[in-house]
Amino acid sequence: MFTTRPTLQGTFGMASTTHWLASQCAMAVLEDGGNAYDAAVAAGFVLHVVEPHLNGPAGEVPILLAPADGGVRVLCGQGPAPAGATVAHYTALGLDLVPGTGPLAAAVPGAFDAWMVLLRDYGTKSLADVLKYAIGYARDGHPAVEGVGATVETVRALFEDEWTSSAEVYLPRGKAVAPGGLLKNPALAATWTRLIKEARAASADREGQIDAARRVWREGFIGEALAAFAARPAMDTSGERHAGTLTGDDLAAFRATYEDPVTYDWNGWTVAKAGPWSQGPVLLQQLALLPAELPAYGSAEYVHLLVEGGKLAMADREAWYGDAAEVPLGTLLGTEYNAGRRALIGPDASYELRPGRPDGRVPRLSAHTLAVAGGGGGVGATAPGAGEPTVARNGAAVSVPAGRGESGGAGEEVAEPSVVAPSEPPVVAPEVDRSGATRGDTCHIDIVDRWGNMVSATPSGGWLQSNPVVPGLGFPLGTRLQMAWLEEGLPNSLTPGRRPRTTLTPSLALRDGVPVMAFGTPGGDQQDQWQLHFFLAVALRPMVRGGLDLQGAIDAPNWHQESFPGSFFPRVMRPGGVTVESRLDAAIVADLRRRGHRVTVGGPWSEGRLCAVARDPETGVLSSAANPRGMQGYAVGR
């Protein structure tokens, strides 16, 4: 098939990220003798600078790593709820949902410590070596992608009237950076420069400096500034000013941790994901729900099957996933359970939220979920703030358009990538009403090196529009607590010391126990839907040039369904809603509508922002590909 770009192949190293500068910096680390983990850390910190509307140092990151000489591990960079973040505290403030922005939504930051632990335990480079790229771009500037300025303009009034520390960084001289304009963050550059200086003063060796940097983050000048600023009231999506619950003790107590992955075997593949504190097992449940004989790839029946299976998996996510209760994961992935669930998939679209009863347990859903699930299509169709992330402007929740160069969400113009052959002029997607298409939200990194080390990471949170910039540090706190429910007794209830369930979900795939592919995407709740479509496209279609057709799988027309409560404020859903790219065959769209699906046709290149790398264990040939949508993600390698 024709693709927008070739699948890159080589033997030295491959990197694929959501921004070309991060990809190239990762490759520079590999060229300098570093391994995949050194490269991932460098790329992660560059993404904080060049995609500040999509992630930041005080956000979170789940990381899947597969060392050449060992098994797959999960490194959890998702921080828990602070000790003071109780349901009673929030409801006493008159809230029924955690705000989508502001200090009240801040979990304990997890990304920084996770990157440092990865560098210490699996990397080879020094702290200064991996941070120099981010420092350079923050100090000297970088050409801004369209989404940065567009996002800032969305929150201009908020920055000017309320979050003035953010205006100092992102509205210099009263103007947001123009597309391609030079964007600098000298405060962030100074923060990392001071961090390196203090780490060097504390220790002479590599590991000692990294651990010293972790202490500075938790208890030194960075931790002190974060805790002090969290205690200052700020405007949020509730329309009021609230102080947060994060304290210095919360910061001091956090450590990124390793876990075993959750895995599922399908047709000779083993897919590895993070546990049910993420939405990672949703991908595995969707695989478990597939019948032994699949409809023809890409047919209407195939799309219908995946949409309906996704509804069942996401319903189970809503009822059973979380860090505040035991999750019956073995049953959720079991053969007998999924045979019964598969029987629920009929020829027509379903509109109900139908969680299962693993081990005979009765599902309990939050009151908010029951309300939106019973509200019909109108609930999700018009509510403001849908998508990830939300921002506050004068107390109102509004969604952030990704802008050209980002995800290509509804209501924006997105340039269609040119095709290698035949070549056609770019097409601009028409403006449409809110479709549930994901706005700019998250980043992704996949890297494989010449030794066979592989890593997949999905950094997010700490967006410039999530919280005010902390003065002197150059970055804000995150808002991940908005994903937890203000109702006791649920798997995802807001609970001190427990992680709010995250949508972040990187992936690794193995053949015969050997890691062969790392992949993932931004996209909030849609991540494991888009990843399923990508994975099946790789697994079901012929190889190209002797390798996996990564680029063809990424370029294939994509879609997502919305029949579940969103994870982000204001937690809406659209029963029966399916959004497809206009490149999907018109006959398939007509068939889906005949089956009762509420189909919204979006732009031709508006669904999914996947990255992927692969390694052939027999030949050692490496491959890589990146999403052409928005013309921002790139793969590099040789």
Side-chain angles (χ1 to χ4, degrees), residues 215-307:
R215 290 192 297 272
V216 172
W217 176 273
R218 294 193 300 262
E219 305 170 45
F221 79 94
I222 295 177
E224 291 172 353
L226 290 173
F229 205 68
R232 293 176 54 180
M235 179 66 71
D236 60 40
T237 53
S238 72
E240 298 180 1
R241 299 176 184 86
H242 292 112
T245 60
L246 181 69
T247 68
D249 289 342
D250 296 313
L251 289 162
F254 178 74
R255 306 289 189 278
T257 55
Y258 290 107
E259 302 175 0
D260 292 330
V262 180
T263 61
Y264 186 78
D265 296 332
W266 183 83
N267 281 14
W269 293 81
T270 299
V271 181
K273 302 289 284 186
W277 53 267
S278 75
Q279 75 171 359
V282 163
L283 175 57
L284 309 184
Q285 282 198 254
Q286 289 178 103
L287 289 172
L289 284 162
L290 295 176
E293 296 292 331
L294 290 175
Y297 172 83
S299 65
E301 187 178 358
Y302 175 87
V303 176
H304 171 75
L305 174 69
L306 267 56
V307 166

Side-chain angles (χ1 to χ4, degrees), residues 23-207:
S23 297
Q24 188 53 49
C25 289
M27 197 65 200
V29 173
L30 296 179
E31 296 282 5
D32 194 41
N35 63 21
Y37 310 112
D38 297 313
V41 176
F45 279 88
V46 168
L47 288 173
H48 297 158
V49 180
V50 300
E51 292 188 329
H53 57 312
L54 307 183
N55 79 138
E60 43 276 324
V61 59
I63 303 170
L64 269 66
L65 55 144
D69 58 354
V72 177
R73 303 183 79 183
V74 175
L75 179 54
C76 175
Q78 173 58 63
T86 64
V87 169
H89 175 72
Y90 286 68
T91 56
L93 296 172
L95 300 170
D96 57 4
L97 290 175
V98 176
T101 61
L104 268 182
V108 179
F112 179 86
D113 199 62
W115 287 125
M116 291 297 100
V117 170
L118 180 66
L119 180 65
R120 182 196 66 188
D121 295 348
Y122 289 93
T124 64
K125 294 291 188 179
S126 70
L127 181 67
D129 284 338
V130 296
L131 284 180
K132 65 184 180 183
Y133 306 95
I135 292 173
Y137 285 126
R139 181 191 61 227
D140 303 326
H142 62 93
V145 295
E146 288 84 341
V148 177
T151 300
V152 173
E153 286 297 340
T154 304
V155 291
R156 169 184 286 275
L158 175 70
F159 281 14
E160 291 176 337
D161 298 340
E162 298 281 349
W163 296 5
T164 55
S165 58
S166 298
E168 292 175 6
V169 177
Y170 292 107
L171 287 170
R173 297 176 298 280
K175 294 183 179 180
V177 63
L182 202 63
L183 178 62
K184 300 181 180 181
N185 191 339
L188 181 58
T191 295
W192 297 147
T193 300
R194 180 178 173 184
L195 178 77
I196 293 169
K197 181 179 179 180
E198 293 192 10
R200 283 173 169 167
S203 177
D205 65 86
R206 192 186 80 92
E207 291 81 3

Side-chain angles (χ1 to χ4, degrees), residues 58 88 103 158 167 177 222 370 380 527 597 622:
L158 175 70
V177 63
I222 295 177
L370 294 172
Q527 289 179 39
H597 297 282
L622 311 178

Side-chain angles (χ1 to χ4, degrees), residues 411-472:
E412 57 183 312
E413 295 182 345
V414 181
E416 178 179 2
S418 58
V419 181
V420 173
S423 60
E424 296 179 356
V427 176
V428 175
E431 184 170 334
V432 295
D433 293 334
R434 181 207 165 266
S435 65
T438 301
R439 278 72 172 172
D441 59 324
T442 297
C443 310
H444 189 76
I445 299 167
D446 293 312
I447 300 175
V448 61
D449 63 29
R450 62 188 184 274
W451 301 288
N453 300 303
M454 194 174 290
V455 61
S456 182
T458 309
S460 186
W463 311 292
L464 69 86
Q465 65 274 34
S466 64
N467 256 302
V469 166
V470 180

Side-chain angles (χ1 to χ4, degrees), residues 550-563:
L550 301 183
Q551 194 64 53
I554 289 174
D555 287 356
N558 219 323
W559 66 89
H560 75 269
Q561 57 87 15
E562 303 150 31
S563 294

